[in-house]
Structures are given as structure tokens and as C-alpha cells.
Amino acid sequence: MKLKKFNQSFDEQNLLESGFVSPTSEAIIIRIGLIDGKYHWRARTIDDKGNASQWQEFGIAGDIDFEVKLVPLYTQVESDYPSRSETIRWFDDKYGPVGINYNCFDSLLGYSSIRSCGCAITSMVMLGRYYNINIGIDNSSVDPGNINNWFTNNSGYTNTGKLFWDKAIDYLGYIDQTTGKKMVRFDFDFQTDWNVVSTSSRIDDFVNFAKPAVVYNDKFGHYFIADGKLAATYTIKDPAKYNTKTLNDDENPDNKIRDYNNYFATANLFTYLETPKLSSASMYIALASPAELLITDSQGRKLGKDPTTNTFYDEIPRAKYGQEGPILTSDITLDPNQIHKTKVIYISEPINGQYQLQVIGTGEGDYSLESAFFDTQGNINQQEFQSETALGYTAQYNLFTNSENSASTTIELFDETPPEAKIYFNSETQELEIKGIDNMTVNPIVSIIEQNNKKKDEDDEDKHKEKENIIYQIRDEAGNTTKLFFKKIKQEGKKIRAELEGIQYNNGGIIEFKAEFKYEWSLNQDNTIKELEQKIKVEDQFRIKTKYSSKKDETKIEIKTEEGKEKQILPGLVIIKLTTELGVFGFNF
């Protein structure tokens, strides 16, 4: 085979040869290291006796057979790419807003810098320049320093330092001088998983047709460009380890070469538009939690995952649900399972109106819900919610979107169900405990909003406490309240007596009743419960009496209801917990 630049004539020098193959089989020749330019090629076959066929030029003789266009290498670190003088100008710039440091903190500089955090913005610089976009929307030269400045001043970063990818598209766009409208040059296909066959083939289609992808390796928390597909790997442009040429290069830290073990996790695909279009509205929602996101638009179409049925939904057009890992500063291979990832919903051109968003717990823990709405002019409306979740908990948020005015876009927790109460003796604190139970809020706030105190002994307050007309309030995140009206709570030494006489949900009427609680106990030398007697009576409903002995390590339980009497003995210390449900009492243990 002979491969030449189009302006060069074919000769017999520097021929490319494959090994011998059997008749009718394909011969494969790989040529790497090509520079930008237009090429033509021809080939011939030679048998094992040295007999050669005539040269045959590919396609139409005299035509250009293909064109090589390489992604220009730009780095976030000091290097010769594109030049030493240019990279020195930006590598130590503060990344993002002043006063905020991200997971990619630069310990040498003492702040989050482009050197430590700028892999994604530098990858977008390379993408833009590949398509000959050399001037950004602010008329600045497209480089890591200028895109960082524009992102910082135009809300381009999430609260954790990742990119709003739509803002990167905006930066690589322009303002139409006739209409004053913002124009964009890319469509965005968000977060395509490389290890899924149906999507990995789409990534290959991109890079095989000279469309670079911005890929993410979650073992290093790092973004870079994949710009070519070889037989068994990809060619890449790495903004940090800039001498890395392919995804399976051998590790050489001294020469800025990283071994990615032929792996990346996801790819962001950007389709260049030959005819630019008006900038559109978009929606970005990120969840950091042991939970999943499920969003439903006003037409009933869904996007996300329902873990209760293990069902994925992909019904909303121009929308994706995926995961984003953090940008990290690490030269050590990390376990992707140990890297905290966020679930992300991205919707381009959302329809105006109401959406329902559900945060569905898959485990117990805190969660952070971050939302960002961009209108057609690129204005942003950001909100963040902090809460807790647990397996089986679902928090519902109502969203209202307006593509023309992000300021009128709203998101708020929707919950009209007030919390319930759990009342019991706390064997550790040896006090009466009031806990909240809610359908959405894992730990509703419990507080005393009114009380009268009596002191039996000024010198021994801890042993003699008496409160009268105490009102406990349980409040969930949506603002629903439940009030418990105690006539008194009296603690004297190792005895507690309490009387509950009413409950009120939100601003409804007070449901009146009479419930009595009596507890008496003794302690071992290590301050654990030696003996405990519990007596709980709810008038006209039930009576419960228990006796615990640490010597036998068992609890005798007697329950009286209208249906009769029940006795049982259970091992260990059993605590009776009185529960409420819409004003009706129950118990568990």
C-alpha cells in the first residue's frame, strides 16, 4: 500500500505492508501519526512467490480519498501545548468563583486551580478549536483561561465544580449581530455509557467519522478527548497527561503518560451544526445520595429510574439520565465504586409547564438536590435542597418551567401529609422520647414550642423535673406540623409520669383523648437498666404493662384491650413505643 498527501505523487518509497493472509480474507494495515491534510492512496497484492498485481488507486483516480483533521492539543498544565508561554498564562488561575474550593483542590497552590480542576473546560477548548471555533461568545480567544473566566462570571459551574455543559456550548456560540439572539453550534448528547453495547457503538460512530468525544474516566476523576478508533483502542488528547497517545499506553509518569487500561466510563457527544441554531432552554438536576431520580412531564412522559420496580424510563425527548463523577486530583488509580457519583437529569428544550420530580431512596443517608434552569437567553435559576432519605422513602418536588424566563421557574417540595409521632422511654438517656415519623422527611424536627416549668428542688434539677401544659411540635421539610398537647411530664429520680391529652395536625382541630405513661427503673453499676416497669394506658383503647429484669434478661408483657388480655415473655429489654396515625393510637415493640 502507498499512502501520500494529495499534493504528492505516488512513488515506490516507504511502502506499507501487511502480513500474508489467506485468499478472500481481508488484509489490515494501520498507519498512525498522520498530520492534518488531504490524502490519497493506492494498493496492490503480492503472493508468497513475489508476484505482484497492478497498483489500484482507491475510488476515482485523481480524487482526494480522505482528509485528516487532528484535535489540537491544549493543556491545563504548563507545557508546550499549544506553547509554554500560553499555558503559563492560565495553568495557575483560580478555577471557578473566588472563595470556593472543590474536590480537585491544588495543595501546591493552596486553591482549586485550572491545573488541578480544568480537565473538562480544556477538553471543550480542544473540541471548539477542532471545529475552527477560535473566538468565544465574549470575543475572547478560546483557551482554558478565558473559558474559565467566562464560566465563573456566567454561572457555568455547578456547586461542586462540574460544568453545565450547555454553558460550554453557549461559550462556543455567538451573538447574531442582526437579531441580537444567542446562536449555538452544537447539539449535545449527554452522558453515554461506554460499557453498554448499544451506546458504545454510538461513540464509535462518532469518532470513526471524525467527531471527537469528551470522555470521563472515573478511576482518575478525569476528562479528556477521544478522537480516533483503532482496532483495539482509542486515540486520545489528554489535557493533563499530554504525552498519552492512546487509551492503552504504558504508564510513564515522568513523561506525562498515563495508562488508562483501555477504559473510560462515559462520553459526552457533541454534534457540530453546519447551520447554527438559536440557543434553547435546558434543565439540569443533580442528586448526590443513595437514591434515584424519576421525573414526569405534563404529558405523562418519564425519565429516570424507579428502584422500587427496577424500571428505567427514557420517554422524554432530547433528555438523558446518567451519572457524573467528580473532577479529582489524583495520579493513583481509584476504585470507581468508592467515588461518590451524582445522578443527573439533563433535558434540552423542556416544555413549559409542570414537572413532577421524585427522589426515591435506595438506602439511608443525606442527600443534596441541585437544580439549574437555563432560559433561551442563557439566564440561570439555581436552587439546592438538603435532606435525608432512606429505603422506601420518596420525596416529591413540583417544578414549573418557563423557557423564556428562568426567574419564573420554580421548584418546591410537595407534601400535604403531616408527620406522626412515636413516644417511648429512652433507655440510654432515661427520659421520655418524642420522635417524628413522616412519609418523606426521614427525621422530622421535634421541638417544644410551649411549656410551664415547676422545680421541686433547686439543688437537684436533674432528679426533679416537672413540666405542665407542654406542646411538642413535629415539623417536616414541607412545613407540615403535628402538635402533641401534654398536660404534664414529671420526672422525679428514676420515675417518669406523663399525660397526653390532645393532638393537632397542621391547623386542624385538636383531637382530644387521654393517654398516660408511667416508667420506673433501677440501674446497674455501669448505668445500664437493671429493672424497668412500663405502664401505658390509652383511655377506651388499650393498657400495656411490662416488667424487665436484667438478671433473667427478659421482659414480661401484659396487654389489655376490649377483645381481652394477652401475656407474653420476650428475651432482652423490650421498649413499648406508642404511635399515632391520624389521631388513632397504636403501639409496637
Side-chain angles (χ1 to χ4, degrees):
M1 173 184 174
K2 185 62 186 177
L3 175 65
K4 284 281 193 179
K5 276 202 162 185
F6 183 68
N7 59 2
Q8 296 175 332
S9 300
F10 290 118
D11 55 32
E12 300 300 314
Q13 304 299 313
N14 303 315
L15 297 178
L16 303 174
E17 295 183 354
S18 73
F20 286 109
V21 297
S22 59
T24 72
S25 298
E26 289 185 353
I28 297 175
I29 297 173
I30 297 175
R31 172 72 162 89
I32 62 174
L34 295 176
I35 61 175
D36 285 5
K38 299 175 181 179
Y39 291 83
H40 61 161
W41 63 279
R42 64 181 186 178
R44 68 180 179 183
T45 59
I46 301 176
D47 64 20
D48 56 1
K49 301 288 194 275
N51 300 308
S53 70
Q54 296 295 315
W55 285 102
Q56 180 174 330
E57 187 169 347
F58 177 77
I60 300 174
D63 278 1
I64 297 168
D65 293 333
F66 64 90
E67 182 176 359
V68 172
K69 185 179 180 183
L70 301 179
V71 174
L73 179 58
Y74 274 66
T75 65
Q76 66 194 94
V77 299
E78 183 180 352
S79 77
D80 292 324
Y81 306 101
S83 71
R84 186 72 54 174
S85 61
E86 289 181 276
T87 55
I88 287 175
R89 182 167 53 81
W90 64 65
F91 83 89
D92 59 355
D93 283 0
K94 174 75 176 68
Y95 177 85
V98 173
I100 300 179
N101 285 311
Y102 303 109
N103 290 326
C104 45
F105 181 79
D106 191 324
S107 58
L108 294 177
L109 293 175
Y111 52 84
S112 294
S113 66
I114 289 180
R115 177 175 69 181
S116 61
C117 303
C119 56
I121 59 173
T122 307
S123 295
M124 290 305 297
V125 166
M126 289 190 274
L127 183 75
R129 286 193 168 266
Y130 173 78
Y131 289 105
N132 297 317
I133 304 172
N134 301 320
I135 301 296
I137 196 168
D138 60 350
N139 293 317
S140 67
S141 175
V142 174
D143 64 41
N146 288 331
I147 193 175
N148 175 60
N149 289 336
W150 190 84
F151 265 53
T152 300
N153 296 323
N154 290 274
S155 303
Y157 294 118
T158 72
N159 293 334
T160 55
K162 297 192 289 291
L163 305 192
F164 289 123
W165 297 101
D166 263 13
K167 298 300 284 187
I169 291 175
D170 281 351
Y171 176 74
L172 297 174
Y174 63 96
I175 302 296
D176 187 293
Q177 296 303 308
T178 302
T179 63
K181 298 285 189 179
K182 184 182 295 182
M183 308 298 291
V184 295
R185 297 182 171 102
F186 292 97
D187 270 338
F188 177 37
D189 189 348
F190 171 75
Q191 286 284 305
T192 304
D193 292 334
W194 176 64
N195 57 350
V196 178
V197 173
S198 60
T199 55
S200 62
S201 60
R202 176 162 167 74
I203 297 169
D204 288 354
D205 287 344
F206 255 68
V207 296
N208 282 334
F209 285 91
K211 298 178 180 180
V214 179
V215 301
Y216 176 75
N217 182 288
D218 55 358
K219 296 179 180 179
F220 293 96
H222 187 57
Y223 285 94
F224 50 92
I225 291 283
D227 59 352
K229 182 71 165 68
L230 303 178
T233 189
Y234 294 83
T235 57
I236 68 173
K237 295 291 191 307
D238 193 319
K241 304 300 182 182
Y242 48 80
N243 284 326
T244 310
K245 304 301 182 186
T246 68
L247 201 61
N248 62 353
D249 278 1
D250 293 331
E251 185 80 14
N252 188 341
D254 294 336
N255 198 30
K256 297 292 184 180
I257 298 175
R258 175 176 281 167
D259 178 10
Y260 286 108
N261 198 29
N262 223 22
Y263 166 83
F264 57 81
T266 57
N268 291 342
L269 307 180
F270 298 85
T271 299
Y272 181 74
L273 304 173
E274 295 295 340
T275 303
K277 67 176 186 178
L278 285 170
S279 176
S280 62
S282 62
M283 178 191 304
Y284 173 94
I285 300 170
L287 174 71
S289 170
E292 294 286 351
L293 288 173
L294 181 62
I295 193 168
T296 306
D297 69 12
S298 58
Q299 298 181 17
R301 298 173 298 188
K302 296 181 179 181
L303 173 70
K305 181 181 179 182
D306 183 350
T308 62
T309 60
N310 198 32
T311 303
F312 285 91
Y313 294 91
D314 188 19
E315 299 170 351
I316 299 178
R318 300 186 58 77
K320 293 290 181 182
Y321 182 50
Q323 294 190 75
E324 274 194 343
I327 297 173
L328 301 172
T329 313
S330 177
D331 286 331
I332 302 172
T333 303
L334 306 173
D335 181 356
N337 295 322
Q338 301 302 314
I339 297 177
H340 192 67
K341 299 178 183 177
T342 56
K343 283 84 173 181
V344 176
I345 282 175
Y346 169 81
I347 302 178
S348 179
E349 302 178 17
I351 59 176
N352 288 338
Q354 186 155 315
Y355 288 77
Q356 180 192 93
L357 176 69
Q358 292 174 288
V359 177
I360 307 172
T362 56
E364 186 172 338
D366 298 334
Y367 75 76
S368 173
L369 181 69
E370 181 182 1
S371 68
F373 303 91
F374 296 93
D375 61 26
T376 54
Q377 296 305 305
N379 301 311
I380 186 173
N381 181 348
Q382 286 180 273
Q383 291 186 15
E384 186 172 6
F385 298 84
Q386 305 287 338
S387 188
E388 298 172 282
T389 190
L391 183 63
Y393 274 73
T394 298
Q396 179 178 318
Y397 294 83
N398 284 345
L399 290 69
F400 181 85
T401 60
N402 184 341
S403 61
E404 301 301 320
N405 183 6
S406 63
S408 64
T409 295
T410 60
I411 176 172
E412 58 185 20
L413 181 66
F414 176 79
D415 180 13
E416 296 180 342
T417 303
E420 298 289 355
K422 183 184 292 185
I423 307 167
Y424 59 96
F425 174 74
N426 189 320
S427 60
E428 294 184 0
T429 63
Q430 293 148 35
E431 293 182 341
L432 188 69
E433 186 83 20
I434 314 293
K435 285 283 189 182
I437 308 169
D438 190 57
N439 61 320
M440 292 189 184
T441 306
V442 177
N443 290 306
I445 298 172
V446 179
S447 60
I448 296 175
I449 60 173
E450 185 179 320
Q451 74 175 46
N452 295 320
N453 292 339
K454 285 187 177 182
K455 296 180 182 178
K456 289 272 184 135
D457 189 337
E458 294 289 345
D459 298 326
D460 198 3
E461 290 187 30
D462 289 336
K463 290 186 178 181
H464 303 283
K465 301 176 184 177
E466 186 169 351
K467 304 172 185 177
E468 293 185 344
N469 300 320
I470 315 105
I471 303 176
Y472 277 85
Q473 177 179 273
I474 306 170
R475 187 178 190 278
D476 67 17
E477 282 186 288
N480 298 300
T481 61
T482 298
K483 297 182 179 71
L484 301 173
F485 297 85
F486 282 87
K487 184 177 181 180
K488 68 177 180 180
I489 299 177
K490 179 181 179 180
Q491 182 162 351
E492 186 174 7
K494 295 180 178 59
K495 296 180 181 179
I496 295 176
R497 293 189 64 184
E499 294 181 17
L500 178 62
E501 57 184 9
I503 187 169
Q504 181 185 33
Y505 295 99
N506 286 329
N507 295 316
I510 298 176
I511 303 170
E512 296 182 351
F513 51 81
K514 187 175 181 180
E516 298 178 354
F517 305 83
K518 296 179 182 179
Y519 304 98
E520 187 171 350
W521 67 94
S522 61
L523 301 175
N524 295 307
Q525 290 184 350
D526 62 359
N527 208 42
T528 58
I529 299 295
K530 181 178 181 180
E531 294 180 331
L532 171 64
E533 185 176 63
Q534 305 172 77
K535 294 180 179 179
I536 299 171
K537 175 184 175 183
V538 178
E539 197 170 70
D540 300 326
Q541 293 188 44
F542 55 80
R543 294 184 181 186
I544 305 173
K545 179 180 178 181
T546 76
K547 286 187 177 181
Y548 167 73
S549 168
S550 62
K551 185 176 181 180
K552 294 184 178 180
D553 193 28
E554 64 181 24
T555 301
K556 296 180 179 179
I557 303 172
E558 181 181 292
I559 303 171
K560 292 182 179 180
T561 64
E562 291 182 353
E563 285 76 27
K565 183 188 297 186
E566 177 186 348
K567 292 184 178 181
Q568 57 182 306
I569 299 175
L570 297 178
L573 174 61
V574 176
I575 301 296
I576 305 299
K577 297 177 180 178
L578 188 74
T579 59
T580 65
E581 185 175 355
L582 299 177
V584 178
F585 285 96
F587 59 88
N588 57 53
F589 49 85

